[in-house]
Amino acid sequence: MKNYCFLTFLLGLTLLFSNCSRRKEAIKYSNNFDILPDRVWAGEDFWTIPLEDWQINEGRLECTGNSSNMRTNLITYPIKPGNGTFALNVTCGMLHKGDQEGTVGFSIGVKDDEDPDVKAACYFGKGLNLGVRTNGVLFIEDQTVSFPADFSWEKFHIQVEGNFSLKGKAITLRLMNEQQEEVAWLVKESIDEIEGLIVLGVNHHVASPFSNGPSFWLDDLEISGTKISYEEENRFGAILWAMYTNSRNVLKLTAQLAPVSAQVNGEVHLEIEEGDGWKKLATEKLRVDSYTATFRVGNWDPDLEVNYRISYSENLKDGETSDYEYIGTIRKEPVDKPLVFGGMTCQYGYGFPYTPVVINLLKEDPDILYFSGDQIYEGNGGYSIIRFPAERAILNYLGKWYMFGWAFGDVMKGRPTICTPDDHDVFQGNLWGDGGRKIELEDWQEYAGTSGGYIEPAEMINVVHATQSSHLPDPYDPTPVEQGITIWYTDMVYGKISFAIISDRIFKSGPKEAAFWEEGRKDWITEQGIDLSRLDKPGLKLIGDRQFEFLTHWMKDWKGANMKVLLSQTLFANIPTHHGSIDGILAGDMDSGGWPQTPRNKLVDLLRRCYAFHVCGDQHLPLFVQYGIDEFRDAGWALCTPAITVGYQRRFLPDRLGIPYKNRPDHDLDNTGEYIGGMGHKNYVYAVGNLPDNTRSELRYERAQLSSSGYSIITFDPESRDISCNAIRFLADADRLRPEDSFPGWPVTVNQFDNAGINRTGDKITIQSNGVLNPALLVYDAKTEELLLSVRMKGDKFSGIVDGSGRYNLKIGNPETERWKTISELIPGEPGTNPVVVRF
Ligand SMILES: [Fe+2]
């Protein structure tokens, strides 16, 4: 096996010495791409944008797209500041002429003024553009020189020289024909310092985007000089990152690879560190649509804290292999301390690579991460989505998805990650999956995106599910939905917390099924006071029958857990009053989990029966809410986490609209208290992180901060049962959190038992357990056999409310040892029931 960095034999990393009296190290890099197999991925030194427009083909780097601003960033050899020289050479040729004037050449000194990170430079960096235009001019920015019209575009060479000394700074650009004869040259003097990435650009001159421009191949890239530096740590790939979960002694881990070549024996290996070496755990075949390998390791010891290594070898054309590895850590499952949970959602691309949030997450060191959805948006990366065909859509998705892992990979490599896709992840601004139904794009557009179903091909949806969620614990019921679309809803027990991880999109009905108005969008209620019950038609789905069946099973399973938490994409209430902008007032939104009302109420009731807390995202509005079903505050609490970066804006400004409220919390903050929500529910809004009216800023990260972006940290204490929540702003410093770094109303602590709802009515059941501490208690209606209450008692006493027929069957015991006692036909209030004493 050869060295991990396969390009060591490709690149001549040599030390030259300049003529200066002070000896300077000159670095040389070259790549003729000859031994690389045909593949999409350009290699660990490069990052190509858009991903689907570049490939290695027949020993060349080809840009096959025809749009503007396609680029290959050389991420490992940036130009450094100071005096010195550099020389760049590349051989090019035209692939397609197109019908637009295009360019090929370099951007040099590409960096992002706001974030020095190489990732930011790739997507937001600006540098000096130079090269050749197909209208027959050589250009360095605005400076141009013409060359003869009979120039052959079949094969030519571009050379760049930079000379930076005390005497002056100059860039020389030369165009040579195939025979290496100079065709034209251009010098630009008195330029500013050049510092940053070297980028190969195609159609990188254009101010306004276009399609059907020319495309080019590039080859024989040579870079050298004393102003060139080598940043080894910038390498990215072929194993890009990994996500894992461990639950109930099963480790699941998915390795995400770049689009490497499809090869006969594409095997990915997983090892753990043991002594001085590595012990093989498992080998899996690389899935070549999603470029993932998912490992499942049974008998996993949760007390083990160990480094893991993922490795992959790719065959090269010269008979050698290039060998890649990726190292992370499986951490010991915390069982004797509160579980620190990082809640994230919604990554709008202007905030990429979200460095302030990434740094804060590393500082917060959460035990587990939750990315609830919208890990991509359609516009992320600065280029459009491709919907069809599936193969192109998948590559286009992967290019955007890779941004997520590039940004958060270092956080995810050392802790379990729960990641679930939402609507934008499958290229639908809103998703009502309708059980996986296929919907034609035209039908979807005709009804303004309110018909149920998936537009994208099932192959693409399944790649989204594989990349985002294949490392979750095994699905409760893996049977695919319509079109063979895979599902991933499941539960996970970690740190004595039992999480249910569900989709509130895959099974949901489309608003078109219910909306009765003629004009306007079918998912938006623009008029106050309409009869909302007319939208609650029988048979409409929210989470679907299958997930209800799963939750009914989950709610009674307390093995290894003291508390229950439901994770889903959105809130089961419709809170915001303003959508899109400060002028966009809306009475109701069926995209929220507040609709359809009947399954929503059934779900919220199920959650309160097992004292479950709800964590979600999607809204782009940090919220801490107590649900109501019949009365205000008669059900559980929910945290809607701040978006990592807010794009689409939502606000909750009922006070401004004169919407009446009651029982404002003690903190007396505006826009809090008991309000009737957009879908008619009784919502108690304890805290909201509203955006100011104006969120404009030239600076990306400042705009994110102003737009109420950030993350949440939730601490679940399985002993005290306290749930402590903080929603933290984008630009906070986690080491020095000031009160203003939390959104108004946070931090806030509730207790597990508050999730029953303080205004709940019914029969009171009081238990005294003798002989078993912290038993699980299940209370069934004696008549209907329905499970009405499910709890892990704290200590030996408990009292709670059930709403049933008045006669109840109780099951109480230790779920770990399966030692149970039953009590039948209990009638609360009768003698001997206050408390009911259970002896083991
Ligand atoms: Fe979102």
Side-chain angles (χ1 to χ4, degrees):
M1 191 183 274
K2 276 201 334 216
N3 189 296
Y4 149 56
C5 172
F6 81 100
L7 276 178
T8 43
F9 59 93
L10 280 181
L11 72 93
L13 184 67
T14 53
L15 294 180
L16 305 171
F17 297 100
S18 73
N19 296 331
C20 305
S21 55
R22 217 176 111 239
R23 279 147 61 119
K24 274 191 179 174
E25 195 180 282
I27 282 180
K28 191 174 177 196
Y29 169 81
S30 65
N31 197 337
N32 63 16
F33 304 99
D34 283 353
I35 58 166
L36 299 184
D38 293 353
R39 64 185 191 202
V40 172
W41 185 50
E44 63 192 344
D45 293 302
F46 300 101
W47 194 243
T48 57
I49 302 169
L51 182 73
E52 64 273 11
D53 287 338
W54 295 86
Q55 63 180 13
I56 303 290
N57 188 34
E58 296 183 355
R60 308 189 298 204
L61 175 65
E62 293 184 348
C63 178
T64 55
N66 56 14
S67 59
S68 58
N69 207 13
M70 299 176 289
R71 55 210 191 273
T72 289
N73 300 275
L74 178 57
I75 53 179
T76 44
Y77 290 87
I79 300 174
K80 62 187 175 188
N83 290 335
T85 61
F86 61 84
L88 321 176
N89 286 284
V90 69
T91 304
C92 319
M94 192 179 274
L95 283 171
H96 300 288
K97 192 163 178 290
D99 57 15
Q100 303 270 342
E101 175 201 311
T103 56
V104 61
F106 292 97
S107 298
I108 56 174
V110 172
K111 61 174 182 164
D112 177 39
D113 289 337
E114 224 174 301
D115 186 340
D117 194 296
V118 64
K119 303 186 272 289
C122 287
Y123 287 92
F124 298 100
K126 296 211 167 25
L128 188 81
N129 294 328
L130 46 85
V132 51
R133 277 190 203 163
T134 53
N135 66 346
V137 297
L138 209 57
F139 72 98
I140 304 177
E141 293 288 326
D142 297 337
Q143 197 177 323
T144 59
V145 63
S146 301
F147 54 85
D150 61 352
F151 177 74
S152 167
W153 292 97
E154 207 164 299
K155 187 176 182 184
F156 54 94
H157 309 274
I158 298 171
Q159 294 182 355
V160 184
E161 279 171 32
N163 276 292
F164 289 66
S165 70
L166 286 174
K167 286 184 217 153
K169 300 181 174 78
I171 298 282
T172 307
L173 172 66
R174 287 189 176 82
L175 175 65
M176 330 283 281
N177 65 15
E178 185 174 356
Q179 291 74 36
Q180 296 278 6
E181 296 156 346
E182 189 172 279
V183 176
W185 61 277
L186 188 58
V187 178
K188 188 173 175 73
E189 291 177 317
S190 309
I191 53 173
D192 294 334
E193 176 62 279
I194 300 247
E195 176 197 358
L197 297 185
I198 296 164
V199 177
L200 292 162
V202 172
N203 306 335
H204 62 307
H205 68 298
V206 279
S208 53
F210 62 70
S211 58
N212 205 21
S215 56
F216 295 90
W217 56 263
L218 301 114
D219 204 354
D220 299 324
L221 177 65
E222 286 177 11
I223 286 158
S224 62
T226 56
K227 253 179 92 63
I228 305 293
S229 59
Y230 179 51
E231 307 280 350
E232 188 181 5
E233 68 279 6
N234 286 354
R235 289 179 313 190
F236 191 42
I239 302 155
L240 301 175
W241 79 95
M243 296 191 282
Y244 80 88
T245 58
N246 55 310
S247 175
R248 296 192 181 112
N249 302 98
V250 176
L251 173 74
K252 293 273 297 279
L253 183 146
T254 294
Q256 178 69 65
L257 274 76
V260 292
S261 64
Q263 55 184 40
V264 184
N265 221 1
E267 287 180 341
V268 186
H269 308 282
L270 175 66
E271 300 161 297
I272 53 167
E273 198 168 21
E274 203 173 74
D276 297 334
W278 296 91
K279 179 183 131 190
K280 186 163 275 186
L281 277 189
T283 296
E284 289 293 339
K285 259 208 149 16
L286 180 69
R287 223 181 112 158
V288 287
D289 53 355
S290 55
Y291 299 98
T292 55
T294 300
F295 302 91
R296 185 185 192 283
V297 182
N299 295 321
W300 183 259
D301 175 5
D303 288 335
L304 193 64
E305 177 133 336
V306 68
N307 290 333
Y308 66 84
R309 179 168 78 172
I310 303 160
S311 58
Y312 181 75
S313 295
E314 192 176 43
N315 297 325
L316 300 173
K317 283 183 179 171
D318 63 357
E320 299 279 351
T321 61
S322 47
D323 305 326
Y324 305 98
E325 67 176 37
Y326 182 88
I327 292 173
T329 308
I330 311 290
R331 63 166 63 190
K332 174 184 182 315
E333 180 177 340
V335 284
D336 44 11
K337 73 175 215 30
L339 185 79
V340 181
F341 176 103
M344 279 72 63
T345 190
C346 297
Q347 302 167 39
Y348 207 76
Y350 75 81
F352 179 84
Y354 325 106
T355 302
V357 175
V358 170
I359 290 172
N360 277 343
L361 286 174
L362 290 168
K363 286 178 179 175
E364 301 267 15
D365 190 24
D367 299 305
I368 184 168
L369 304 170
Y370 176 41
F371 292 94
S372 77
D374 292 351
Q375 278 67 248
I376 67 142
Y377 279 86
E378 291 86 336
N380 283 13
Y383 55 93
S384 315
I385 54 165
I386 297 171
R387 290 200 176 277
F388 314 104
E391 202 182 330
R392 294 275 292 165
I394 287 168
L395 271 185
N396 175 269
Y397 160 76
L398 286 176
K400 295 167 192 284
W401 166 245
Y402 288 160
M403 295 173 72
F404 160 69
W406 208 10
F408 290 101
D410 284 348
V411 189
M412 297 189 284
K413 78 198 306 182
R415 48 186 57 76
T417 300
I418 297 168
C419 180
T420 60
D422 198 358
D423 41 16
H424 291 279
D425 298 289
V426 294
F427 295 173
Q428 282 179 242
N430 289 324
L431 176 66
W432 345 84
D434 207 5
R437 198 169 76 96
K438 168 88 189 151
I439 178 156
E440 299 300 330
L441 181 60
E442 296 71 29
D443 293 345
W444 188 70
Q445 283 166 336
E446 188 180 338
Y447 297 105
T450 58
S451 292
Y454 286 86
I455 302 165
E456 288 302 297
E459 300 96 298
M460 183 272 189
I461 307 296
N462 283 346
V463 164
V464 174
H465 291 187
T467 53
Q468 302 211 5
S469 307
S470 58
H471 67 289
L472 295 183
D474 298 340
Y476 175 71
D477 170 5
T479 312
V481 292
E482 278 187 53
Q483 302 191 71
I485 288 176
T486 53
I487 47 81
W488 39 262
Y489 62 89
T490 187
D491 69 330
M492 173 167 173
V493 178
Y494 197 72
K496 290 190 182 166
I497 313 296
S498 161
F499 295 98
I501 306 162
I502 65 162
S503 170
D504 44 38
R505 310 293 195 190
I506 292 176
F507 296 93
K508 187 171 177 175
S509 308
K512 189 173 145 272
E513 306 290 313
F516 48 82
W517 49 88
E518 294 297 319
E519 298 294 312
R521 284 177 63 154
K522 303 287 184 216
D523 54 338
W524 279 4
I525 301 159
T526 50
E527 257 178 77
Q528 295 284 353
I530 70 155
D531 181 4
L532 293 167
S533 68
R534 289 181 65 191
L535 296 173
D536 193 21
K537 288 190 176 167
L540 291 173
K541 307 290 185 214
L542 176 56
I543 64 165
D545 303 342
R546 284 178 60 182
Q547 290 190 118
F548 265 119
E549 196 270 314
F550 156 63
L551 289 178
T552 306
H553 166 86
W554 167 75
M555 70 184 282
K556 63 186 175 198
D557 181 5
W558 288 101
K559 200 171 177 187
N562 284 3
M563 300 162 79
K564 291 209 175 275
V565 177
L566 179 80
L567 306 178
S568 81
Q569 291 68 58
T570 198
L571 195 69
F572 301 118
N574 181 203
I575 306 281
T577 51
H578 292 63
H579 285 243
S581 74
I582 191 65
D583 304 317
I585 297 167
L586 213 56
D589 178 15
M590 292 152 85
D591 179 40
S592 72
W595 179 83
Q597 296 98 316
T598 294
R600 176 271 181 194
N601 289 344
K602 185 179 164 188
L603 174 59
V604 172
D605 182 33
L606 185 149
L607 297 181
R608 74 177 169 183
R609 291 182 189 196
C610 61
Y611 297 80
F613 186 73
H614 181 209
V615 184
C616 63
D618 168 63
Q619 289 288 305
H620 315 168
L621 182 65
L623 284 161
F624 198 68
V625 173
Q626 186 166 21
Y627 294 131
I629 301 173
D630 301 309
E631 304 297 332
F632 282 105
R633 308 191 65 186
D634 68 357
W637 285 91
L639 174 78
C640 178
T641 185
I644 294 168
T645 312
V646 170
Y648 187 84
Q649 300 185 342
R650 292 188 184 89
R651 294 174 172 85
F652 182 57
L653 300 169
D655 293 6
R656 206 185 278 194
L657 301 178
I659 296 173
Y661 67 89
K662 279 192 234 156
N663 296 323
R664 180 151 287 176
D666 288 344
H667 56 49
D668 203 31
L669 291 165
D670 291 349
N671 306 306
T672 62
E674 296 173 354
Y675 294 90
I676 301 290
M679 295 312 306
H681 301 300
K682 292 172 172 162
N683 303 323
Y684 178 59
V685 178
Y686 179 86
V688 55
N690 273 314
L691 300 70
D693 289 4
N694 183 0
T695 59
R696 257 175 243 138
S697 171
E698 292 300 304
L699 298 171
R700 300 184 295 115
Y701 289 170
E702 193 174 278
R703 183 180 153 204
Q705 169 84 358
L706 283 172
S707 302
S708 285
S709 309
Y711 63 98
S712 62
I713 294 288
I714 308 167
T715 306
F716 298 102
D717 187 334
E719 299 313 318
S720 72
R721 314 296 177 91
D722 278 347
I723 302 165
S724 306
C725 307
N726 203 353
I728 301 162
R729 293 185 187 275
F730 189 89
L731 286 178
D733 176 353
D735 280 346
R736 278 177 289 276
L737 279 185
R738 306 161 301 172
E740 62 267 34
D741 292 323
S742 294
F743 287 96
W746 280 276
V748 52
T749 299
V750 292
N751 191 271
Q752 172 191 16
F753 298 104
D754 296 334
N755 290 309
I758 57 167
N759 292 333
R760 199 153 178 222
T761 53
D763 296 321
K764 191 171 181 182
I765 291 193
T766 304
I767 300 284
Q768 165 79 51
S769 154
N770 288 350
V772 173
L773 267 186
N774 306 329
L777 168 68
L778 309 177
V779 180
Y780 295 85
D781 193 304
K783 220 171 172 182
T784 63
E785 294 181 2
E786 199 181 348
L787 180 60
L788 299 176
L789 186 150
S790 175
V791 72
R792 189 88 195 219
M793 286 167 49
K794 185 185 165 204
D796 58 358
K797 293 184 185 65
F798 170 82
S799 81
I801 304 283
V802 289
D803 188 7
S805 65
R807 286 173 185 270
Y808 304 101
N809 296 334
L810 274 57
K811 188 176 168 190
I812 179 167
N814 183 332
E816 284 80 33
T817 60
E818 295 283 353
R819 206 170 140 226
W820 297 95
K821 294 263 174 188
T822 54
I823 298 164
S824 300
E825 298 282 336
L826 174 83
I827 303 173
E830 285 205 332
T833 62
N834 190 22
V836 179
V837 180
V838 185
R839 288 190 179 81
F840 286 88

